[in-house]
């Protein structure tokens, strides 16, 4: 086993790499990624190593190469340094490395790295720091400190802007304009091939304590790359202080008016001048202050646990949710790996709507609004996709990139071990539950925030048009005199052409019901909106359609054993012993033994599917049904999606399976943070990180919102003494403190009355003092 | 200094890397490149290292990325191996490496590499071999032998087809079809983006002595990449014998009829089946036999020298000239770096016409015919270029790629140290001497081969249409009542807007004179051809134009000091001491101190310019003029082009400056083979390698052809006792043996009478016995 992540039991804000191991490069690149939602950059080390993946992404800057799926292009790198000391290339696989420590400070967003490197009898001390600013989204900073410890040294350092990086061989950028300006300022102007987005990267290099003009510098302009090489002599114990302050601007930026190439170039130059008087330290402090002011200060979340990793995981999750989310621009959404890697090409999946959106709804409603607005902005593509498939209404793409692109799912995947061909990925064609998932998220946003403006301008249209899609999508089965939904993929993507996937059918039913309810009452509640939408989609016909079809839509009920069949065929498929594939990190072996076609014929489920259904519609199923289905599906579920375990945790908590709940919680928590040093290579698991919050607040905190009501039914694990958190509900910020005995709720905003469900009753939350709810069974 | 190339004084057919040093990766990749003119592949090591440049090129497969210049795309790699032994990645910068030896056998074209690697107490012996077949141009083979010396070992080996490689970040290929077939056969079908050439690469993996079906194998299909991972257990002392036999076919191949994708795929599969019964050893032997039959056997060239490196250099040069030259297809020509690197993008320059063509004219006339036919096939582009510039006739592009592309020169180069902008490269616009150079090469081909069919079908048209270009290109200077050629770049590319560059004016004059001569006599000698060309270009008008303008074209005569001014301004520019920049490898420093604009104002010459003129037109200038100009230009010439020194060698030999001649010879010989381990990073220097042959045969051998006559005036250096070589002349293969006393010439073909000029008289070469020419001053 490679050396694993170092934690600090007394500090849940830091995690470290305490020993350099080139096998772990990709892991740390992902989990130590920096960003601010506008840009994200993997933590590739300053010096290069084979196998590194040196990625920088700008949210929403999608480009398409040939017939490949649209993806976030890997922008030129600015952090790389080539350092020679007395002619010896800095490379930690040579010489001796001591006192190595690379640390991500989650609180400040700064990444530091220090070590002593001894080679050929000479020792050198290094300290590197870098950050991506939360105070100025265009800004990235890097600081380098090098001290020869034993004797004077000749230093040769090459640094610049390197656009020779690719997305695993795919090049999205043209080789455009390179410029060297005074004060060691370099600029690259480049453009994506197909989407023709312009990017300007400007880097200024500074030598503290040296007369910059006197530095021996030479700049080379190569293909997509310009680098300066500096020669310096350092006395023994003399420290070089070098700073590299960079900015990135693009023609998609929504914080400026002029997007032509010249204006972008000028903006980069102007900013370089404006930043000239600010040191790295000043700039990183401003960014750290923004982290405090915008993220940590307003909304502390504190877990008192015997395992310090629980709090660390929550901080880590919130850090990454912050840096991955393009909260600044509703034309963008969250990628399945955030901005931390090339996995899933930066595309948005149902991960946002069902897993990440709740986090933002409850902690940052304005960001949640931006995310659901994105779904509104992508309606044209969803309508196109429905039309292309012969349906009406809006069918959301399985994978979504730029707002105008429609479906961006890849068609070909891994090798089929039987045919030798690449496997066709059907999700983009038939994983249709996404459409109801989007409507579900939109509805939850509206219910939790009471954002009526959004509902009127965007939300209602989404819910009606997705309901309309389902009405057109149903398959009439004459023999059974009912509507079914045939040939789909449910959350269990191992089953590729399922009929009546329970999750899909229930979600479609829910979506159609809500649309029917809205279309019924809209003429009275909002005749203006009704008139607008009626013109667009004939609401009278929609009303009729939904009214006729909904009662005839088949939703799989629990059978005689109280089991809800995952789909029509599942229960009759072959059952195998999966126990050796069920622990975190073991599922890949399943595919060494079975092809996807073969797994399609087994009772093997990729991720929470029926369990997710039971969890989401908790009021629709008896407790015994829940328990029976848990017992049935748990041994058949491989959790081969990072979205799965958090649902299992929360469902187990609901069922009172406390040990199972905490075990699944730990497994889910460890997806990125655990000992598997390969699990995050292609990027962190965005929805799973939101899942850490979901498990904390929904699972153990027992908070849930259902049918417009906020419920609290704490279920703290044995290891947790206390859970202290803030949530937004109906525009009020509520402060919750839970322990084994009670929940106290304080309305911090106190500008409106809200109420809480607990112990099956409604508690109004006072605006002048905390509400205290004793745990049932504890005397008040 | 890095460890340098190992030579074998007793074997001029081998050169080795005797010590692995990652700083030398690029050097050996270039000089150990393998190929057959159809394909070329750099000798990247089996295991990967940072900084490697893993290139494979197919001649003529040009593609254009965005606005970048067309270039030879870097095709997917098949030689890379990822080897883990007991979990330890093979990486020679870790552990201990002993008995390291990588050897290129110039005679057989096989590259072998062996070493013992000791790590963690275990020692492993490796032997890798590879070749690109000269017997089957589509075939590449790799053999791997691994022996654990100390104890049994778990071997994990990943090998496949990796299309994630780029041209320094530029990706030319789409991500297309990947297939796994039985018998461990992998196939990648891919297409260039713009030129839409299809490529099919098929690799078959074989395990000798193992039951292939039983091998634990797993194949991954990634972006542009498919790789198989094999797990094996090797007993101590047990040797793994692994063979990787691959083929490449493209839709540009001229050895097959069907070029559709399916046919190409089938061809790859059929060939894999056909090759199944042949071992690596059998295949490499067939290739080695082809080397002997086609290259070394028919045309031995033997230098008897006190310095074995002279013969080695000649063998090395001939090896590379063979592997870089697409002799199989006249739609292709030779790149300035052959197929050995990305330098100059695979483009053809005047290097071919004036430096490489003579080698082929005299040693492989059919190949020379193919090269001049390429110039005929590119006439449409040359006519377009002339028309675009407002001229008539054919103006050859400075850089030439695919036959239909016309000018492909890059416009932007290195950083200007004064303005901070990329420097504009003017060659593609105004380095016009190329047009006369092409005509010169065509005429030499015709004169040396007497290939009248070529002259009639292609050559005459080229000479007339280039003459027509010059007639339209001249600038009338009313005040001086003469034609000049203003605003050009001559061979000295430091001077960017020169007027009356002597080399250009003389070459234009020569071209127009020859065209005039042809147009005069053509009505009589070939009325049919006259009629055809007259329709095309109005020969009557051409005749008139040339007749009028030629006498008025200014050609710079020697001045009062017998110096021919390189251009109108050169002699009045500032003169500086260049001595520290004149040795091989020092010239780059010049650009640390001066910008190109500044050098433009100095008497600094990049390469033989006036000297090349005096060398090419030896009968037009008095010996005193030659000596004076040598004295003048030698200290002003930096040889900042690898084309320069060979001309200096030959000119010095003509002047009797024996020490200078041998010194320049050694400097030129060492461009790729000398101690500078960085000089060949971007590829070998094609024209300089031809220059090794030119210096040997023309310079020291004293062979020259002028005005249709073959002359011999040996000038062997003191270190050479004997020079034994074969040349083709007028379809006769002549065997020359030179020593200090005499030259013997035997007509080996003996089907026609030819004569030789020596000692200023004509010697008919008998067909039944050798001609012996005593050196002047030696009594017969």
């Amino acid at each position: 086993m490679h050396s694993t992540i170092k934690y600090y039991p007394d500090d849940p804000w830091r995690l470290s790499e305490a020993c350099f191991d080139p096998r772990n490069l990709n892991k740390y690149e992902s989990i130590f990624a920096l960003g601010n939602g506008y840009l994200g950059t993997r933590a590739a080390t300053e010096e290069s190593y084979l196998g590194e993946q040196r990625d920088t992404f700008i949210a929403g800057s999608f480009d398409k190469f040939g017939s490949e799926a649209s993806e976030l292009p890997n922008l030129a790198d600015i952090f790389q340094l080539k350092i020679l000391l007395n002619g010896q290339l800095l490379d930690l696989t040579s010489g001796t490395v001591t006192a190595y420590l690379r640390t991500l400070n989650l609180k400040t967003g700064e990444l530091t790295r220090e070590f002593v490197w001894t080679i050929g009898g000479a020792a050198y001390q290094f300290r590197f720091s870098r950050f991506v600013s939360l105070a100025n989204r265009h800004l990235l900073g890097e600081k380098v400190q090098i001290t020869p410890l034993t004797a004077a040294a000749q230093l040769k350092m090459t640094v610049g802007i390197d656009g020779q990086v690719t997305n695993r061989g795919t090049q999205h950028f043209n080789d455009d304009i390179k410029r060297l300006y005074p004060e060691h300022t370099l600029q690259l102007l480049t453009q994506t091939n197909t989407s023709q987005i312009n990017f300007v990267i400007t880097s200024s290099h500074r030598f503290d304590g040296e007369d910059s003009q006197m530095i021996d510098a030479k700049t080379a302009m190569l293909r997509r790359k310009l680098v300066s090489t500096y020669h310096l002599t350092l006395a023994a114990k003399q420290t070089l202080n070098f700073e590299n302050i960079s900015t990135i601007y693009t023609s998609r930026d929504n914080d400026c008016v002029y997007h032509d190439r010249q204006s972008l170039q000028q903006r980069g130059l102007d900013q370089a001048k404006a930043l000239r008087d600010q040191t790295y330290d000043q700039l990183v402090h401003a960014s750290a202050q923004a982290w405090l002011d915008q993220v940590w200060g307003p909304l502390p979340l504190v877990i008192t646990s015997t395992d310090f990793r629980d709090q660390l995981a929550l901080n880590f999750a919130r850090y990454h949710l912050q840096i991955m989310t393009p909260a600044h621009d509703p034309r963008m959404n969250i990628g399945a790996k955030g901005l931390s890697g090339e996995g899933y090409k930066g595309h948005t999946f149902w991960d946002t709507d069902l897993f990440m959106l709740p986090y933002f709804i409850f902690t940052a409603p304005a960001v949640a609004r931006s995310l659901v607005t994105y779904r509104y902005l992508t309606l044209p593509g969803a309508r196109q996709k429905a039309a292309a498939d012969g349906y009406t209404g809006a069918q959301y793409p399985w994978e979504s990139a730029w707002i105008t692109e429609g479906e961006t799912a890849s068609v070909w995947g891994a090798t089929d071990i039987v045919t030798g061909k690449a496997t066709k990925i059907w999700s983009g064609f038939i994983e249709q539950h996404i459409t109801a998932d989007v409507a579900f998220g939109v509805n939850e946003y509206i219910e939790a925030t009471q954002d009526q403006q959004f509902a009127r301008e965007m939300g209602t249209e989404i819910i009606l048009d997705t309901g309309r899609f389902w009405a057109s999508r149903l398959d009439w089965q004459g023999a059974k005199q009912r509507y079914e939904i045939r040939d789909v993929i449910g959350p269990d993507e191992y089953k590729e052409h399922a009929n009546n996937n329970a999750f899909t059918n229930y979600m479609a039913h829910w979506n159609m019901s809500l649309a029917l309810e809205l279309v019924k009452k809209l003429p009275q509640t909002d005749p203006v909106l009704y008139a607008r939408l009626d013109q667009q989609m004939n609401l009278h016909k929609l009303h009729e359609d939904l009214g006729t079809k909904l009662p005839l839509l088949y939703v799989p009920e629990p059978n005689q054993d109280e089991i809800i069949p995952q789909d029509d065929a599942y229960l009759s498929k072959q059952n195998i012993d999966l126990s050796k594939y069920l622990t975190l990190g073991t599922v890949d072996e399943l595919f060494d033994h079975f092809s996807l076609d073969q797994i399609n014929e087994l009772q093997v489920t990729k991720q929470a599917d029926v369990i997710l259904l039971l969890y989401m519609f908790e009021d629709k199923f008896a407790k015994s049904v829940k328990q029976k289905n848990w017992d049935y599906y748990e041994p058949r579920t491989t959790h081969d999606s990072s979205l799965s375990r958090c649902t299992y945790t929360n469902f187990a908590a609901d069922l009172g399976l406390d040990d199972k709940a905490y075990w699944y919680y730990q497994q889910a928590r460890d997806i990125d943070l655990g000992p598997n040093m390969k699990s995050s290579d292609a990027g962190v698991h965005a929805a799973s990180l939101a899942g850490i919050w979901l498990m904390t607040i929904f699972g153990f905190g027992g908070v849930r919102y259902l049918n417009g009501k906020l419920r609290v039914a704490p279920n703290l694990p044995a290891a947790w003494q206390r859970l202290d958190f803030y949530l937004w509900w109906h525009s009020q910020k509520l402060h919750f403190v839970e322990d084994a005995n009670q929940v106290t709720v304080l309305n911090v905003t106190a500008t409106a009355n809200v109420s809480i469900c607990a112990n099956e009753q409604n508690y109004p939350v006072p605006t002048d003092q905390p509400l205290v709810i004793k745990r049932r069974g504890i005397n008040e």
Side-chain angles (χ1 to χ4, degrees), chain A:
Chain A
M1 180 59 67
H2 312 171
S3 63
T4 55
I5 307 166
K6 177 179 168 69
Y7 310 116
Y8 300 87
D10 59 347
D11 185 352
W13 296 101
R14 282 189 297 153
L15 53 169
S16 294
E17 175 190 42
C19 162
F20 178 75
D21 182 339
R23 291 172 299 177
N24 294 343
L25 285 172
N26 295 151
K27 176 75 173 187
Y28 287 108
E29 284 165 4
S30 295
I31 66 167
F32 284 176
L34 303 177
N36 56 23
Y38 168 80
L39 76 87
T41 181
R42 284 166 71 82
T45 53
E46 287 71 18
E47 72 281 9
S48 273
Y49 296 97
L50 210 63
E52 68 182 12
Q53 192 58 44
R54 197 171 275 283
D55 283 311
T56 300
F57 303 110
I58 304 292
S61 68
F62 291 99
D63 186 61
K64 208 169 143 49
F65 183 98
S67 60
E68 295 177 29
S70 186
E71 69 183 333
L72 281 187
N74 182 9
L75 187 61
D77 172 80
I78 55 113
F79 286 119
Q80 190 181 4
L81 293 169
K82 189 176 171 186
I83 294 172
L84 284 110
L85 281 155
N86 293 330
Q88 192 76 44
L89 181 70
L90 173 63
D91 168 3
L92 301 189
T93 65
S94 66
T96 314
V97 181
T98 50
Y100 184 92
L101 195 70
R102 176 155 61 149
T103 301
L104 175 64
N105 187 323
L106 299 167
K107 203 169 221 165
T108 63
E110 190 182 23
L111 180 66
T112 55
R113 181 159 164 261
E114 51 194 18
F115 55 86
V116 173
W117 183 53
T118 307
I119 190 143
Y124 307 95
Q125 183 162 333
F126 289 85
R127 189 182 156 85
F128 299 110
S129 320
R130 65 171 85 163
F131 73 102
V132 169
S133 178
L134 200 68
N136 171 354
R137 73 174 75 129
H138 302 281
L139 177 65
L140 311 87
E142 181 180 36
K143 188 160 101 170
V144 178
Q145 293 165 289
I146 305 174
T147 316
L149 298 177
T150 32
Q154 296 293 328
L155 170 68
K156 181 178 165 187
M157 183 168 73
T158 301
V159 53
I161 305 171
D162 180 4
Q164 293 187 1
V165 296
T166 64
N167 291 61
R168 300 264 161 204
T170 294
Q171 179 56 264
H172 287 284
F173 292 98
N174 284 313
D175 183 15
D176 275 333
I177 296 171
K178 287 152 269 190
R179 281 298 301 271
L180 169 66
Y181 294 105
E183 313 240 0
H184 304 304
T185 296
L186 275 51
Q187 192 175 67
L188 175 73
L189 168 63
T190 183
Q191 191 185 55
T192 50
N193 293 319
T194 309
S195 53
Q196 302 198 309
I197 307 168
N198 289 308
F199 294 71
V200 168
I201 308 175
T202 312
S203 288
S204 293
H205 300 159
R206 308 154 170 190
F207 295 85
D208 183 40
E210 306 270 343
D211 181 349
S212 273
Q213 296 313 305
M214 296 303 293
I215 302 273
D216 175 5
K218 190 172 167 183
T219 300
M221 294 187 183
L222 309 163
R223 297 181 81 164
R224 296 183 180 75
K225 181 171 175 175
L226 70 171
V227 287
S228 291
T229 298
Y230 301 102
H231 286 89
L232 295 104
T233 304
L234 294 174
K237 316 275 188 208
Q238 184 196 349
T239 297
L240 166 79
N241 285 289
F242 170 78
E243 297 184 1
N244 175 11
I245 306 298
S246 301
T247 60
I248 304 176
Y249 294 92
T250 88
S251 56
R252 272 213 172 143
D253 292 351
N254 66 353
D255 56 357
C256 70
V257 178
Y258 297 105
H259 288 119
D260 60 284
R261 308 183 75 168
Q262 220 175 340
S263 299
L264 289 173
Q265 280 187 283
Q266 193 56 47
R267 193 164 304 132
L269 267 188
D270 290 348
Q271 189 66 210
K273 279 179 199 145
L275 291 167
R276 197 160 287 160
D277 296 328
Q278 290 172 271
T279 63
Y280 172 94
D281 288 342
Q282 289 169 326
L283 294 168
V284 76
H285 286 159
S287 177
Q289 190 63 45
W291 274 98
L292 194 61
D293 293 347
Q294 294 172 31
V295 187
W296 310 121
L299 223 74
L301 295 179
V302 181
I303 302 168
T304 309
S305 167
T306 55
D307 188 347
F308 70 94
R309 285 177 299 178
D310 300 345
Q311 177 73 54
L312 174 67
L314 188 64
N315 295 344
F316 177 78
R318 294 182 67 197
Y319 167 83
H320 274 287
L321 288 163
Q322 182 70 29
I323 70 167
M324 73 172 64
T325 302
H328 61 288
D329 194 330
R331 298 172 303 169
M332 298 161 193
N333 204 295
I334 310 173
K337 301 283 186 190
L339 300 169
S340 71
E342 293 177 16
Y344 299 111
K345 301 175 184 290
H347 293 178
T348 295
F349 295 71
W350 68 317
D351 307 35
T352 294
D353 307 277
L354 293 194
F355 296 84
M356 291 187 271
L357 192 57
Y359 170 73
F360 294 103
I361 288 174
F362 283 99
T363 66
V367 178
R369 189 186 216 270
S370 184
L371 296 172
V372 289
T373 300
Y374 171 84
R375 289 303 194 182
Y376 183 75
L377 296 175
T378 60
L379 261 182
R383 287 180 179 132
Q384 251 167 32
K385 185 175 163 74
D389 288 357
Y391 307 129
T392 53
Q395 180 185 203
Y396 276 93
W398 178 244
E399 299 186 29
S400 196
W402 183 243
I403 43 169
T404 56
E405 286 190 293
E407 182 63 70
T408 56
S410 297
V411 176
W412 300 105
T415 323
D416 185 300
I417 62 164
V418 173
T419 65
K421 296 185 186 180
T423 306
K424 182 162 183 179
I425 304 175
W426 283 95
S427 297
F429 301 98
I430 55 172
E431 192 156 355
Q432 294 168 339
H433 64 82
I434 175 82
T435 293
D437 306 336
V438 168
F440 196 91
V442 163
N443 185 56
E444 296 213 311
Y445 168 75
I446 294 169
E447 293 202 337
T449 61
Q450 296 295 306
D451 182 348
Q452 297 309 329
Q453 192 195 3
F454 172 80
R456 210 162 48 246
E457 290 179 3
M458 298 180 257
T460 304
E461 187 174 337
I462 292 175
I463 291 164
L464 291 181
D465 222 15
T466 48
R468 197 157 75 110
F469 161 72
W470 287 113
S472 77
R473 167 65 183 86
L474 305 183
D475 301 300
W476 178 248
Q477 298 294 300
K480 297 180 187 158
Q481 286 292 301
R482 69 185 190 192
Y483 286 101
E484 298 190 347
I485 302 177
R486 304 180 67 84
D487 193 21
V488 298
I489 299 179
D492 172 15
E493 291 163 333
Y494 293 161
K495 302 292 169 287
E496 289 204 317
H497 297 283
N499 296 326
N500 298 310
N501 167 262
F503 180 85
T504 304
N505 285 29
Y506 275 91
M507 286 296 284
H509 192 277
W510 169 88
N511 195 349
M512 290 170 69
S513 305
L514 182 61
L516 180 58
E517 191 185 312
L518 286 182
V519 81
K520 262 183 197 161
K521 69 183 183 193
L522 205 59
Q524 289 77 46
T525 56
D526 196 338
V528 175
L529 179 59
Y530 184 90
R532 172 168 78 80
L533 295 180
D534 186 39
Q535 270 211 322
Q536 201 174 311
M537 54 179 103
N538 190 346
L539 293 185
H540 180 71
K541 181 172 181 309
L542 176 62
H543 190 161
E544 222 175 55
D545 248 25
L546 291 169
T548 319
K549 291 180 175 173
L550 193 58
L552 294 170
L553 172 55
Y554 165 65
V555 287
E557 301 289 339
N559 66 13
Q560 66 281 12
D561 303 320
E562 296 194 273
I563 304 305
I564 297 178
Q566 187 183 295
D567 59 49
D568 287 355
Y570 190 91
L571 298 184
S572 56
K573 293 188 172 181
Q574 192 195 337
N575 197 15
I576 62 164
D577 177 14
L578 281 176
S579 46
K580 63 179 169 176
Y581 308 116
L582 298 186
T583 313
L584 190 58
T586 57
V587 67
D588 281 355
E589 292 164 28
L590 182 65
F591 284 88
D592 296 345
H593 303 134
F594 300 97
S595 74
L596 194 59
D597 280 351
Q598 291 167 327
I599 292 174
N600 201 20
E601 300 310 318
L602 299 174
Q603 285 196 36
V604 179
T605 294
K606 182 177 176 184
Q607 63 182 302
D609 187 310
V610 170
I611 297 300
L612 180 60
L613 164 67
L614 297 171
Y615 166 74
M616 285 174 62
F617 297 102
E618 60 170 57
D619 58 340
K620 289 204 162 29
F621 301 97
K623 180 150 188 189
S624 66
V625 170
K626 293 179 186 171
Q627 183 67 51
K628 284 276 171 52
N629 279 280
W630 170 274
D631 294 341
Y632 191 83
Y633 286 107
E634 195 204 2
R636 289 170 171 81
T637 303
T638 60
H639 306 291
D640 185 15
S641 158
S642 64
L643 278 58
S644 186
R645 288 189 174 86
C646 61
T647 302
Y648 263 66
T649 298
N650 292 358
F651 192 65
D654 286 352
L655 283 179
L657 305 171
D658 293 355
D659 292 350
K660 280 282 186 188
Y662 198 56
W663 186 80
Y664 274 109
Y665 165 80
Q666 289 172 313
Q667 294 255 309
R669 186 195 66 191
D670 285 355
I671 288 172
D672 286 306
L673 273 181
N676 181 341
M677 298 305 280
K678 287 288 154 201
S679 59
S680 313
D681 285 1
V684 298
H685 298 78
S688 168
L689 291 165
I692 292 176
W693 183 90
L694 293 175
M695 294 184 294
T696 304
I697 307 301
F698 285 9
F700 301 137
V703 173
R704 218 65 62 80
Y705 58 134
L706 193 70
N707 304 325
K709 290 181 174 174
L710 187 68
R711 183 199 75 194
V712 62
N715 210 329
L716 300 189
W720 292 16
Q721 292 80 58
R722 196 167 185 271
L723 181 62
D724 182 332
F725 58 95
Y726 290 78
L727 298 180
W728 284 94
W729 177 254
H730 290 194
S731 303
Q732 304 298 298
K733 185 159 87 169
L734 307 180
H735 181 195
F736 291 77
V737 180
E738 301 181 353
D739 61 23
N741 302 317
Q742 62 182 35
V743 181
T744 64
V745 187
L746 176 68
N747 185 341
V748 180
T749 313
T751 56
N753 293 315
V754 297
S755 62
I756 300 277
C757 264
N759 300 334
E760 280 154 33
Q761 64 184 92
N762 254 342
Y763 293 89
V765 184
T767 53
D768 53 350
Q769 56 172 323
L771 163 71
V772 179
I773 309 169
K774 294 284 176 194
R775 191 175 166 182
R776 191 173 281 185
I778 306 249
N779 287 330
E780 299 196 24

